[in-house]
Amino acid sequence: MSLPNLAPIPELYVSHESAQKLKHEAGTLPSWDLTPRQICDLELLMNGGFNPLKGFLTEADYTGVVEEMRLADGTLWPMPITLDVSEAFAGTVEPGQDIALRDQEGVILAILSVTDKYTPNKAREAEMVFGADDLAHPAVNYLHNQAGPIYLGGPVVGIQQPVHYDFKARRDTPNELRAFFRKMGWRRIVAFQTRNPLHRAHQELTFRAAREAQANLLIHPVVGMTKPGDIDHFTRVRCYEAVLDQYPATTTTMSLLNLAMRMAGPREAVWHGIIRRNHGCTHMIVGRDHAGPGKNSAGQDFYDPYAAQEMFAKYQDEIGVEMVDFKQMVFVQERAQYEPRDEVEAGATILDISGTELRRRLAEGLEIPEWFSFPDVVTELRRTRPPRANQGFTVFFTGFSGSGKSTIANALMVKLMEMGGRPVTLLDGDVVRKHLSSELGFSKEHRDINIKRIGYVASEITKNGGIAICAPIAPYTATRRAVREMIEQYGAFVEVHVATSIEECEKRDRKGLYKLAREGKIKEFTGISDPYEVPESPELRVETENVDVDNCAHQVILKLESMGLIGRG
Ligand code: PPS
């Protein structure tokens, strides 16, 4: 592998003067407010992290990338970098037009000269890029349930970088890193990609990898978007900073990468390699199940654990970065040191703590031994992940109107208040409609807005250590899932399906609404003239026929106890 010349790589920014002028002119263009993921993509397009891309993919490039991992000119590129927009916005734009791309505060970051407007085949994209059209894959879920239906493609002119207020000194563009490597005289650089906190085993394996490649080490964590449910990047960066002191000075540096990961396993590994080449690296550590998304809807891994390494090896020359094998390091008790698992003799006592076990210990406030992690890292993790019994959480009831959601929710609220310890808020369907969503009706669109508002409030309550109890109908699986993702960043989400049958609800007809719905006087009535998608795997399903309310609420309490969310006292 040839050494990098570390010369600057092309960026898409115009000069400061032109940027001021362009910004002024762009004020009158149609403008698109970028989503958080699009902002991440745009930053790496503009700063050369996605070199050789010059903008969002055109239809020909998109087709090539999806089908063959190649741009239309044959260059290797594994990931569709597309600007997905709503139908309404796409209707206002034609190829040949320029549009302004704005961040979420309305600041113009770039201008896109639209050359292509096209409707992707999302099922095909899911199959080819992520390996399966399965909503259990976070990026496939994003593709179908969050991304807009139309893609705009064309070259981008960069006006300014997205603004970051956090860890400014730790963020580098590819050219800034290249300049740093030149200044330090580093010629061989191993990149370590990560979205998790580093513990002793990672420190051992990264340092060992760098030593074996006779290279310096770049810890290059992703701080853009990672897998839903991951530890937030603020905590992780504080953890990384604590670990950085453990490396011999001048061998290792750390830089934050504002990448929006897709968890696409093998394709993602190749993409990560290209991004690291652009940042001046010569080597990259590719581990077992690199960028793996977890289990599919059948409970199996999406990718073979070695698929990423195999694909990386196949394209290594074109990527321009050499793969460094990731060895699983384990602690050998007799010698009190880390060693590669495959080099430890039979009979030796191996100590290891899996990710799941670590989460359990954090959740339950149990000991995390010093051989496993650094005390400063554990302190940081405990600060953000206090034991579950001290964290906020959300109980989300869903079911037909009149199923008993509100009654059980009320009983649960009273029982939790009797226990004390955390503030409890009830977001009942009817009450929310009165105070938060009074202007909304019952179309799919309005129901979704309503549920997302409830989800937002519940996520804030959860984040701040309270208990939110929600009791809307919430008929759509995708919307319930979006709420789950909002909340699981901060605490547990306990979905409770109140499984009273529609026949029973209609028989009870406590508010007289079913009668009106049957007579056609209420339109779009859930279960009568509107759909209800039954939750497939809620945390709890309660039957209410022949069971009293107290008992139903008690079942929820038992579930909360078994999840460690409330004390057993
Ligand atoms: S949704 O779908 O989750 O947004 O619905 P939600 O906010 O829970 O509101 C449901 C309550 O509104 C009354 N109502 C209707 N429900 C369903 N379909 C239609 N068309 C409708 N029109 C009015 C009904 O009383 C629901 O209250 P609950 O507590 O569920 O009985």
Side-chain angles (χ1 to χ4, degrees):
M1 181 103 0
S2 61
L3 294 173
N5 65 20
L6 291 176
I9 56 162
E11 299 184 349
L12 306 182
Y13 292 111
V14 289
S15 69
H16 182 68
E17 268 170 28
S18 316
Q20 292 312 316
K21 202 163 147 264
L22 269 182
K23 199 167 187 166
H24 187 68
E25 291 166 10
T28 58
L29 294 176
S31 69
W32 174 250
D33 294 338
L34 297 157
T35 63
R37 183 163 108 174
Q38 291 168 345
I39 293 179
C40 290
D41 286 353
L42 180 66
E43 176 167 346
L44 284 154
L45 278 171
M46 294 195 295
N47 71 17
F50 287 168
N51 186 55
L53 300 192
K54 297 283 179 265
F56 289 100
L57 294 189
T58 61
E59 188 168 9
D61 283 335
Y62 170 75
T63 308
V65 168
V66 169
E67 298 297 327
E68 295 167 51
M69 289 191 12
R70 293 192 180 278
L71 301 173
D73 69 4
T75 309
L76 180 72
W77 188 269
M79 197 58 63
I81 305 299
T82 50
L83 188 73
D84 59 281
V85 298
S86 64
E87 210 149 343
F89 180 73
T92 67
V93 180
E94 285 311 320
Q97 222 174 331
D98 285 354
I99 63 170
L101 301 180
R102 295 177 190 261
D103 71 9
Q104 298 201 317
E105 284 175 26
V107 177
I108 300 178
L109 301 180
I111 292 176
L112 170 71
S113 300
V114 180
T115 58
D116 291 51
K117 175 166 105 174
Y118 54 104
T119 306
N121 178 344
K122 290 189 175 181
R124 179 79 183 161
E125 180 178 333
E127 283 289 346
M128 296 303 292
V129 178
F130 305 111
D133 192 11
D134 181 339
L135 290 176
H137 192 299
V140 175
N141 179 51
Y142 185 96
L143 183 64
H144 287 299
N145 292 323
Q146 274 179 269
I150 301 189
Y151 291 176
L152 300 179
V156 158
V157 174
I159 292 179
Q160 71 165 72
Q161 293 192 35
V163 183
H164 298 289
Y165 298 106
D166 56 337
F167 305 114
K168 279 170 190 260
R170 292 280 188 199
R171 295 176 184 266
D172 304 281
T173 65
N175 281 329
E176 283 167 344
L177 264 188
R178 283 168 173 251
F180 173 78
F181 297 150
R182 281 199 304 273
K183 184 168 159 189
M184 298 300 285
W186 292 8
R187 306 293 289 152
R188 294 165 66 88
I189 301 115
V190 179
F192 182 61
Q193 137 83 34
T194 181
R195 43 171 264 268
N196 288 311
L198 300 186
H199 302 294
R200 286 191 197 271
H202 300 103
Q203 198 266 339
E204 293 280 343
L205 85 87
T206 50
F207 191 60
R208 181 180 282 255
R211 211 171 44 209
E212 275 171 21
Q214 297 186 349
N216 291 91
L217 179 63
L218 170 68
I219 310 284
H220 211 193
V222 172
V223 295
M225 293 170 74
T226 60
K227 198 173 142 191
D230 278 352
I231 292 179
D232 69 275
H233 81 266
F234 299 102
T235 305
R236 285 191 288 116
V237 175
R238 290 193 297 267
C239 290
Y240 301 138
E241 286 182 333
V243 177
L244 216 51
D245 297 342
Q246 307 293 327
Y247 292 94
T250 76
T251 61
T252 303
T253 191
M254 173 174 78
S255 178
L256 308 181
L257 180 65
N258 199 40
L259 174 70
M261 288 180 72
R262 309 314 204 241
M263 310 310 299
R267 277 202 188 218
E268 180 121 357
V270 172
W271 186 40
H272 288 175
I274 296 171
I275 295 167
R276 270 41 185 236
R277 173 195 70 206
N278 290 335
H279 284 79
C281 302
T282 50
H283 295 69
M284 185 173 101
I285 300 172
V286 182
R288 204 177 163 278
D289 198 25
H290 187 99
K295 306 273 183 224
N296 64 19
S297 49
Q300 278 141 9
D301 287 341
F302 271 92
Y303 311 115
D304 179 274
Y306 298 101
Q309 291 174 332
E310 281 162 21
M311 189 179 277
F312 199 102
K314 179 169 166 203
Y315 293 105
Q316 182 161 287
D317 289 344
E318 273 183 278
I319 298 169
V321 163
E322 200 172 311
M323 175 168 73
V324 182
D325 199 6
F326 174 119
K327 289 225 192 311
Q328 195 196 348
M329 302 295 290
V330 288
F331 189 76
V332 182
Q333 193 171 32
E334 289 80 0
R335 291 187 284 277
Q337 64 180 12
Y338 278 88
E339 294 174 17
R341 169 161 250 157
D342 55 8
E343 290 174 21
V344 180
E345 77 281 7
T349 318
I350 283 178
L351 301 183
D352 200 8
I353 292 182
S354 68
T356 315
E357 173 63 10
L358 174 64
R359 279 190 291 278
R360 188 185 77 85
R361 290 188 185 213
L362 284 171
E364 296 181 18
L366 301 175
E367 193 222 343
I368 296 169
E370 256 199 55
W371 62 260
F372 176 75
S373 195
F374 306 98
D376 290 348
V377 172
V378 174
T379 306
E380 278 302 335
L381 292 179
R382 285 203 198 281
R383 274 174 52 194
T384 21
R385 293 273 158 117
R388 277 195 146 191
N390 298 342
Q391 280 177 22
F393 65 88
T394 293
V395 181
F396 191 94
F397 290 94
T398 166
F400 291 119
S401 169
S403 57
K405 303 182 298 293
S406 310
T407 322
I408 304 170
N410 259 301
L412 175 67
M413 176 174 73
V414 172
K415 284 177 188 287
L416 289 170
M417 287 171 78
E418 183 187 350
M419 287 179 188
R422 282 174 283 201
V424 189
T425 308
L426 176 58
L427 298 162
D428 189 28
D430 273 343
V431 178
V432 168
R433 286 221 168 237
K434 193 159 152 208
H435 295 292
L436 274 182
S437 297
S438 57
E439 84 288 17
L440 298 180
F442 288 88
S443 62
K444 175 168 192 311
E445 192 194 354
H446 278 192
R447 286 180 196 263
D448 283 356
I449 296 172
N450 182 40
I451 299 304
K452 283 183 184 161
R453 283 182 191 166
I454 295 176
Y456 173 71
V457 176
S459 75
E460 287 293 310
I461 292 169
T462 305
K463 180 167 83 185
N464 291 304
I467 301 174
I469 305 176
C470 314
I473 297 178
Y476 297 107
T477 307
T479 326
R480 291 192 298 260
R481 176 171 172 159
V483 171
R484 178 185 287 276
E485 284 179 5
M486 263 188 238
I487 287 163
E488 283 185 342
Q489 304 172 51
Y490 307 117
F493 179 80
V494 185
E495 188 175 30
V496 181
H497 176 213
V498 182
T500 318
S501 66
I502 189 74
E503 294 77 18
E504 175 68 16
C505 293
E506 186 165 6
K507 201 166 85 196
R508 293 180 192 168
D509 204 6
R510 289 181 56 189
K511 299 182 188 164
L513 297 176
Y514 282 92
K515 184 165 175 290
L516 296 176
R518 284 287 178 208
E519 291 166 5
K521 292 184 182 142
I522 305 180
K523 305 268 179 270
E524 300 174 314
F525 198 84
T526 307
I528 303 294
S529 45
D530 221 44
Y532 179 80
E533 298 170 1
V534 174
E536 274 177 23
S537 42
E539 275 69 13
L540 180 68
R541 207 184 296 281
V542 289
E543 306 292 340
T544 66
E545 290 158 54
N546 306 318
V547 186
D548 69 18
V549 173
D550 210 306
N551 185 294
C552 294
H554 189 62
Q555 288 179 44
V556 182
I557 293 279
L558 290 178
K559 183 76 205 174
L560 298 176
E561 253 184 17
S562 75
M563 293 173 75
L565 292 166
I566 50 180
R568 281 155 213 267

